Amino acid sequence: MSDNHSAHGHGTDKAGSAGWMTAARMLQDTAPITVPEGASAMTIHVEWEPGDPGTPPHRHSGPAFGYVIEGAVRFELEGEPERIVEAGGTFWEPGGDTIHYQDGNALTDAKTTFVVTMLCAPGKPMLELVDEEELARRIHLRAPRPTN
């Protein structure tokens, strides 16, 4: 009988190899994070069509961690400059009060897909849109906009 784990590079074989030690690659290491007490986790797959601006400004009740599968995400958090996260790249946001301004497709000629795992506080929505009035009150917290 064969060991199914060994067939997939898990565990050790008779020669003592440890494929699991080289199979994983660190993509993101974030600290410190604050996880709401009693949080639940949700992982979603997002696919934006070419040029899609993404979700309007919003926040999450807990931290969120993302990985871009294909394309490029235009990503902007409150207090940080807008940046482009390309396929194979990661992003994260702390959640709580921080506004997430952009998560749209930075490409006009191709789809962008990413997965994101969010930790949500009990009784809170996974995503809360931020209204124009609050955006205006907090404009001083937004990084300067790129000039084109």
Side-chain angles (χ1 to χ4, degrees), residues 32-35 40 55-57 64 66 77 80 82 85 87 98 103 118 122 129:
I33 64 168
T34 301
V35 177
S40 62
T55 311
L77 286 179
E80 297 180 6
E82 174 184 304
V85 183
T98 303
D103 68 359
M118 297 164 283
L129 296 181

PDB file of all heavy atoms in Angstrom, residues 32-35 40 55-57 64 66 77 80 82 85 87 98 103 118 122 129:
ATOM      1  N   PRO A  32       1.789  43.631  13.202  1.00  0.00           N
ATOM      2  CA  PRO A  32       0.805  42.855  13.944  1.00  0.00           C
ATOM      3  C   PRO A  32      -0.559  42.954  13.271  1.00  0.00           C
ATOM      4  O   PRO A  32      -0.803  43.885  12.496  1.00  0.00           O
ATOM      5  CB  PRO A  32       0.779  43.555  15.295  1.00  0.00           C
ATOM      6  CG  PRO A  32       1.066  44.994  14.977  1.00  0.00           C
ATOM      7  CD  PRO A  32       2.015  44.962  13.792  1.00  0.00           C
ATOM      8  N   ILE A  33      -1.420  42.020  13.549  1.00  0.00           N
ATOM      9  CA  ILE A  33      -2.797  42.108  13.069  1.00  0.00           C
ATOM     10  C   ILE A  33      -3.724  42.035  14.276  1.00  0.00           C
ATOM     11  O   ILE A  33      -3.370  41.487  15.309  1.00  0.00           O
ATOM     12  CB  ILE A  33      -3.165  41.006  12.048  1.00  0.00           C
ATOM     13  CG1 ILE A  33      -3.098  39.613  12.666  1.00  0.00           C
ATOM     14  CG2 ILE A  33      -2.292  41.086  10.820  1.00  0.00           C
ATOM     15  CD1 ILE A  33      -3.716  38.528  11.810  1.00  0.00           C
ATOM     16  N   THR A  34      -4.899  42.615  14.112  1.00  0.00           N
ATOM     17  CA  THR A  34      -5.917  42.551  15.148  1.00  0.00           C
ATOM     18  C   THR A  34      -7.088  41.758  14.587  1.00  0.00           C
ATOM     19  O   THR A  34      -7.653  42.127  13.560  1.00  0.00           O
ATOM     20  CB  THR A  34      -6.389  43.962  15.541  1.00  0.00           C
ATOM     21  OG1 THR A  34      -5.254  44.698  16.000  1.00  0.00           O
ATOM     22  CG2 THR A  34      -7.442  43.913  16.618  1.00  0.00           C
ATOM     23  N   VAL A  35      -7.408  40.667  15.265  1.00  0.00           N
ATOM     24  CA  VAL A  35      -8.523  39.816  14.852  1.00  0.00           C
ATOM     25  C   VAL A  35      -9.671  40.056  15.816  1.00  0.00           C
ATOM     26  O   VAL A  35      -9.501  39.903  17.026  1.00  0.00           O
ATOM     27  CB  VAL A  35      -8.116  38.323  14.850  1.00  0.00           C
ATOM     28  CG1 VAL A  35      -9.290  37.443  14.488  1.00  0.00           C
ATOM     29  CG2 VAL A  35      -6.948  38.095  13.903  1.00  0.00           C
ATOM     30  N   SER A  40     -15.195  35.270  12.185  1.00  0.00           N
ATOM     31  CA  SER A  40     -15.320  34.176  11.229  1.00  0.00           C
ATOM     32  C   SER A  40     -14.457  34.550  10.034  1.00  0.00           C
ATOM     33  O   SER A  40     -14.093  35.707   9.857  1.00  0.00           O
ATOM     34  CB  SER A  40     -16.782  33.991  10.800  1.00  0.00           C
ATOM     35  OG  SER A  40     -17.256  35.159  10.159  1.00  0.00           O
ATOM     36  N   THR A  55     -14.904  47.594  -6.304  1.00  0.00           N
ATOM     37  CA  THR A  55     -15.839  47.946  -5.242  1.00  0.00           C
ATOM     38  C   THR A  55     -15.667  49.415  -4.861  1.00  0.00           C
ATOM     39  O   THR A  55     -14.532  49.888  -4.737  1.00  0.00           O
ATOM     40  CB  THR A  55     -15.563  47.068  -4.006  1.00  0.00           C
ATOM     41  OG1 THR A  55     -15.484  45.708  -4.410  1.00  0.00           O
ATOM     42  CG2 THR A  55     -16.650  47.219  -2.961  1.00  0.00           C
ATOM     43  N   PRO A  56     -16.775  50.139  -4.654  1.00  0.00           N
ATOM     44  CA  PRO A  56     -16.655  51.531  -4.180  1.00  0.00           C
ATOM     45  C   PRO A  56     -15.938  51.564  -2.823  1.00  0.00           C
ATOM     46  O   PRO A  56     -15.799  50.525  -2.165  1.00  0.00           O
ATOM     47  CB  PRO A  56     -18.110  51.978  -4.029  1.00  0.00           C
ATOM     48  CG  PRO A  56     -18.909  51.035  -4.856  1.00  0.00           C
ATOM     49  CD  PRO A  56     -18.169  49.736  -4.849  1.00  0.00           C
ATOM     50  N   PRO A  57     -15.493  52.740  -2.371  1.00  0.00           N
ATOM     51  CA  PRO A  57     -14.815  52.819  -1.080  1.00  0.00           C
ATOM     52  C   PRO A  57     -15.606  52.095   0.013  1.00  0.00           C
ATOM     53  O   PRO A  57     -16.821  52.248   0.124  1.00  0.00           O
ATOM     54  CB  PRO A  57     -14.729  54.323  -0.823  1.00  0.00           C
ATOM     55  CG  PRO A  57     -14.649  54.915  -2.200  1.00  0.00           C
ATOM     56  CD  PRO A  57     -15.590  54.050  -3.013  1.00  0.00           C
ATOM     57  N   ALA A  64      -7.968  41.596   6.053  1.00  0.00           N
ATOM     58  CA  ALA A  64      -8.200  40.877   4.797  1.00  0.00           C
ATOM     59  C   ALA A  64      -6.855  40.651   4.117  1.00  0.00           C
ATOM     60  O   ALA A  64      -5.997  41.534   4.139  1.00  0.00           O
ATOM     61  CB  ALA A  64      -9.139  41.668   3.900  1.00  0.00           C
ATOM     62  N   GLY A  66      -5.099  39.154   0.461  1.00  0.00           N
ATOM     63  CA  GLY A  66      -5.412  38.790  -0.910  1.00  0.00           C
ATOM     64  C   GLY A  66      -4.211  38.342  -1.717  1.00  0.00           C
ATOM     65  O   GLY A  66      -3.064  38.694  -1.411  1.00  0.00           O
ATOM     66  N   LEU A  77      -5.349  51.877   0.069  1.00  0.00           N
ATOM     67  CA  LEU A  77      -5.866  51.975   1.427  1.00  0.00           C
ATOM     68  C   LEU A  77      -5.683  53.398   1.934  1.00  0.00           C
ATOM     69  O   LEU A  77      -4.758  54.106   1.514  1.00  0.00           O
ATOM     70  CB  LEU A  77      -5.093  51.053   2.375  1.00  0.00           C
ATOM     71  CG  LEU A  77      -5.348  49.573   2.273  1.00  0.00           C
ATOM     72  CD1 LEU A  77      -4.463  48.829   3.275  1.00  0.00           C
ATOM     73  CD2 LEU A  77      -6.800  49.237   2.505  1.00  0.00           C
ATOM     74  N   GLU A  80      -2.218  55.393   2.406  1.00  0.00           N
ATOM     75  CA  GLU A  80      -1.169  54.811   1.565  1.00  0.00           C
ATOM     76  C   GLU A  80      -1.387  55.238   0.123  1.00  0.00           C
ATOM     77  O   GLU A  80      -2.523  55.386  -0.319  1.00  0.00           O
ATOM     78  CB  GLU A  80      -1.211  53.283   1.623  1.00  0.00           C
ATOM     79  CG  GLU A  80      -0.928  52.720   2.994  1.00  0.00           C
ATOM     80  CD  GLU A  80      -0.975  51.198   3.008  1.00  0.00           C
ATOM     81  OE1 GLU A  80      -1.118  50.573   1.927  1.00  0.00           O
ATOM     82  OE2 GLU A  80      -0.879  50.642   4.108  1.00  0.00           O
ATOM     83  N   GLU A  82      -1.796  54.914  -3.863  1.00  0.00           N
ATOM     84  CA  GLU A  82      -2.331  53.906  -4.780  1.00  0.00           C
ATOM     85  C   GLU A  82      -1.163  53.095  -5.341  1.00  0.00           C
ATOM     86  O   GLU A  82      -0.093  53.626  -5.593  1.00  0.00           O
ATOM     87  CB  GLU A  82      -3.044  54.649  -5.912  1.00  0.00           C
ATOM     88  CG  GLU A  82      -3.542  53.793  -7.017  1.00  0.00           C
ATOM     89  CD  GLU A  82      -4.140  54.632  -8.127  1.00  0.00           C
ATOM     90  OE1 GLU A  82      -5.069  55.419  -7.844  1.00  0.00           O
ATOM     91  OE2 GLU A  82      -3.661  54.515  -9.268  1.00  0.00           O
ATOM     92  N   VAL A  85      -0.913  45.913  -7.913  1.00  0.00           N
ATOM     93  CA  VAL A  85      -0.473  44.596  -7.468  1.00  0.00           C
ATOM     94  C   VAL A  85      -0.692  43.640  -8.637  1.00  0.00           C
ATOM     95  O   VAL A  85      -1.835  43.400  -9.035  1.00  0.00           O
ATOM     96  CB  VAL A  85      -1.250  44.117  -6.222  1.00  0.00           C
ATOM     97  CG1 VAL A  85      -0.712  42.776  -5.739  1.00  0.00           C
ATOM     98  CG2 VAL A  85      -1.197  45.162  -5.111  1.00  0.00           C
ATOM     99  N   ALA A  87      -0.177  39.967 -10.960  1.00  0.00           N
ATOM    100  CA  ALA A  87      -0.354  38.533 -10.738  1.00  0.00           C
ATOM    101  C   ALA A  87       0.833  37.968  -9.965  1.00  0.00           C
ATOM    102  O   ALA A  87       1.987  38.282 -10.260  1.00  0.00           O
ATOM    103  CB  ALA A  87      -0.514  37.812 -12.071  1.00  0.00           C
ATOM    104  N   THR A  98     -10.207  51.568   8.853  1.00  0.00           N
ATOM    105  CA  THR A  98      -9.467  51.936   7.643  1.00  0.00           C
ATOM    106  C   THR A  98     -10.331  51.809   6.389  1.00  0.00           C
ATOM    107  O   THR A  98     -10.966  50.781   6.175  1.00  0.00           O
ATOM    108  CB  THR A  98      -8.215  51.050   7.489  1.00  0.00           C
ATOM    109  OG1 THR A  98      -7.419  51.196   8.656  1.00  0.00           O
ATOM    110  CG2 THR A  98      -7.407  51.443   6.269  1.00  0.00           C
ATOM    111  N   ASP A 103      -9.944  48.599  -5.396  1.00  0.00           N
ATOM    112  CA  ASP A 103      -9.530  47.212  -5.597  1.00  0.00           C
ATOM    113  C   ASP A 103      -9.874  46.761  -7.018  1.00  0.00           C
ATOM    114  O   ASP A 103     -10.109  45.596  -7.270  1.00  0.00           O
ATOM    115  CB  ASP A 103     -10.176  46.283  -4.572  1.00  0.00           C
ATOM    116  CG  ASP A 103     -11.685  46.141  -4.749  1.00  0.00           C
ATOM    117  OD1 ASP A 103     -12.280  46.766  -5.660  1.00  0.00           O
ATOM    118  OD2 ASP A 103     -12.295  45.388  -3.972  1.00  0.00           O
ATOM    119  N   MET A 118     -11.055  37.166   4.350  1.00  0.00           N
ATOM    120  CA  MET A 118     -11.402  38.244   5.266  1.00  0.00           C
ATOM    121  C   MET A 118     -11.837  37.657   6.598  1.00  0.00           C
ATOM    122  O   MET A 118     -12.547  36.649   6.624  1.00  0.00           O
ATOM    123  CB  MET A 118     -12.537  39.081   4.689  1.00  0.00           C
ATOM    124  CG  MET A 118     -12.150  39.775   3.406  1.00  0.00           C
ATOM    125  SD  MET A 118     -13.565  40.381   2.491  1.00  0.00           S
ATOM    126  CE  MET A 118     -14.139  38.853   1.778  1.00  0.00           C
ATOM    127  N   PRO A 122     -18.217  39.221  14.526  1.00  0.00           N
ATOM    128  CA  PRO A 122     -19.581  38.692  14.628  1.00  0.00           C
ATOM    129  C   PRO A 122     -20.617  39.815  14.539  1.00  0.00           C
ATOM    130  O   PRO A 122     -20.433  40.889  15.101  1.00  0.00           O
ATOM    131  CB  PRO A 122     -19.622  38.046  16.021  1.00  0.00           C
ATOM    132  CG  PRO A 122     -18.212  37.930  16.464  1.00  0.00           C
ATOM    133  CD  PRO A 122     -17.418  38.941  15.697  1.00  0.00           C
ATOM    134  N   LEU A 129     -19.953  49.728   2.764  1.00  0.00           N
ATOM    135  CA  LEU A 129     -19.627  50.864   1.903  1.00  0.00           C
ATOM    136  C   LEU A 129     -19.522  52.141   2.732  1.00  0.00           C
ATOM    137  O   LEU A 129     -20.213  52.300   3.733  1.00  0.00           O
ATOM    138  CB  LEU A 129     -20.684  51.036   0.811  1.00  0.00           C
ATOM    139  CG  LEU A 129     -20.797  49.896  -0.201  1.00  0.00           C
ATOM    140  CD1 LEU A 129     -21.876  50.219  -1.231  1.00  0.00           C
ATOM    141  CD2 LEU A 129     -19.473  49.610  -0.882  1.00  0.00           C
TER     142      LEU A 129
END
